[in-house]
Amino acid sequence: MAEALAKSSYTLNQELLSYFIDYLNQSDKSAATIANIARDLNFFLDYLAEQDDADIHAKYVSRYITILEDKYKESSFLAKLSSLRQFINWLNLDENPFWKLRVSLKHHDFDYYQELEFSQDFAYDDLLIQVIYELYLSQEELIELKLEDYNQARGTLSIRGRELVLEQALAAKMRNYFRQYRIELARASGALTLEDPLFTRSLDDDRAMTSQSLQQLLADHGLALSKLKRSRIMNMLDQAMSFEEIESKLAIKLSEFYRPFVKDKDYRLARAYKDFHPRS
């Protein structure tokens, strides 16, 4: 009898999954993304089939999250977590674990640089690292920046179809770099156009930055680009910024992988009180 009930529940779960996949097919997700989600959720249904009743309960979702966290490394874990979250939210499950989930990752490879300290003094390597970090730049985005993309008067860089405002300290470094180094280097090379690269390989080398030279620069400082970018998002979330605030500030679409790290409303109020209340 129990086996028959479990089989019936598994069949129902498969039907629910097929409806969910139909729902995803109406979205703007790619076929490959949907296929990955379906694969991840089939693993979840297989796990449910091993339980006493095989129904989708909050307790089973929570236990399965723990299993995923123990079994997979960061990127795989977060991808599977995202698939599961979308499905459970679509089901509108009672006592949805994702309403209060705060993932405490155990994986050693999921770490990030705490809020980075950048010197006030000018150093070229430091400037490049700070630009990548603050603006969440890929190596291609950094390399492809042109002189015309930097607006010294407004302290902005044109990227991703927007003018991103530089933090005050970074804007000051950019002014120093632009006036004292970049312009002089371009003039010394015999030509100066708005199509020239904003950043070159070094302060005395007018050749454009390459992926190899950028990777070497980061390696020399013991940094990894992916971890540097991840750190920017994590540190903003640690400051209790919302998804919407981060997406607006950086002109990006933030990955759902980071959803578990969003701080709740009470956390934001407590942080605001601590930061701004004179008696805190």
Side-chain angles (χ1 to χ4, degrees):
M1 183 67 174
E3 183 178 348
L5 287 174
K7 184 175 181 180
S8 175
S9 295
Y10 182 78
T11 301
L12 175 60
N13 292 342
Q14 285 289 347
E15 290 180 358
L16 288 172
L17 177 56
S18 68
Y19 293 143
F20 177 61
I21 297 303
D22 288 341
Y23 163 77
L24 292 181
N25 283 326
Q26 305 304 313
S27 70
D28 58 358
K29 296 183 184 296
S30 69
T33 297
I34 294 174
N36 288 336
I37 292 173
R39 178 202 61 202
D40 293 340
L41 293 176
N42 270 306
F43 287 138
F44 173 58
L45 298 190
D46 289 342
Y47 162 77
L48 288 177
E50 299 173 356
Q51 310 311 309
D52 293 337
D53 54 17
D55 288 338
I56 302 177
H57 295 307
K59 63 179 181 180
Y60 292 143
V61 176
S62 298
R63 292 173 188 172
Y64 189 66
I65 290 172
T66 301
I67 291 171
L68 292 178
E69 187 176 358
D70 288 338
K71 185 175 181 180
Y72 293 99
K73 292 187 176 181
E74 173 220 343
S75 58
S76 296
F77 166 66
L78 291 178
K80 295 179 186 304
L81 188 70
S82 176
S83 299
L84 183 61
R85 180 189 302 107
Q86 293 176 68
F87 184 45
I88 297 305
N89 288 347
W90 176 79
L91 288 173
N92 197 23
L93 185 70
D94 289 340
E95 299 181 5
N96 186 340
F98 288 103
W99 291 344
K100 56 183 179 180
L101 176 65
R102 293 294 178 269
V103 178
S104 177
L105 291 173
K106 303 169 185 175
H107 311 303
H108 295 300
D109 65 340
F110 188 89
D111 57 353
Y112 58 97
Y113 308 117
Q114 300 300 315
E115 193 67 36
L116 298 178
E117 295 290 337
F118 294 102
S119 171
Q120 296 296 316
D121 298 328
F122 180 83
Y124 189 56
D125 287 6
D126 192 59
L127 170 66
L128 293 176
I129 293 168
Q130 192 168 355
V131 168
I132 292 170
Y133 173 75
E134 286 199 8
L135 302 183
Y136 193 73
L137 298 183
S138 67
Q139 67 175 17
E140 290 79 13
E141 287 174 328
L142 180 82
I143 291 169
E144 292 173 4
L145 284 172
K146 303 290 191 293
L147 289 174
E148 65 180 350
D149 295 322
Y150 172 59
N151 188 307
Q152 186 175 186
R154 291 198 291 265
T156 61
L157 271 176
S158 180
I159 193 79
R160 307 180 197 116
R162 283 260 310 277
E163 284 197 10
L164 301 188
V165 179
L166 307 182
E167 300 289 345
Q168 185 175 357
L170 180 55
K173 286 185 181 180
M174 280 296 297
R175 287 193 297 271
N176 184 22
Y177 163 69
F178 197 72
R179 293 172 181 172
Q180 299 188 34
Y181 301 99
R182 186 66 190 93
I183 293 296
E184 292 303 319
L185 181 61
R187 286 172 177 164
S189 68
L192 177 63
T193 73
L194 293 177
E195 288 297 312
D196 286 345
L198 179 59
F199 296 113
T200 59
R201 297 190 189 187
S202 69
L203 291 178
D204 56 1
D205 187 342
D206 64 351
R207 291 177 299 172
M209 177 71 70
T210 65
S211 59
Q212 292 82 4
S213 54
L214 179 57
Q215 290 169 13
Q216 185 60 56
L217 182 151
L218 293 172
D220 289 343
H221 291 271
L223 299 171
L225 182 60
S226 59
K227 185 175 176 180
L228 191 63
K229 294 180 65 180
R230 178 198 310 151
S231 300
R232 177 57 165 155
I233 302 302
M234 292 300 296
N235 285 322
M236 295 174 85
L237 290 171
D238 285 345
Q239 294 167 10
M241 294 183 68
S242 68
F243 252 47
E244 294 73 22
E245 289 169 332
I246 295 172
E247 290 180 336
S248 176
K249 184 177 182 63
L250 299 179
I252 60 171
K253 179 64 176 176
L254 195 57
S255 169
E256 286 294 317
F257 293 167
Y258 291 100
R259 186 69 68 177
F261 303 100
V262 175
K263 302 299 186 291
D264 58 26
K265 182 178 179 181
D266 290 340
Y267 180 98
R268 294 176 190 169
L269 290 174
R271 180 166 183 114
Y273 178 86
K274 178 180 178 181
D275 290 345
F276 300 110
H277 197 285
R279 294 183 181 179
S280 64

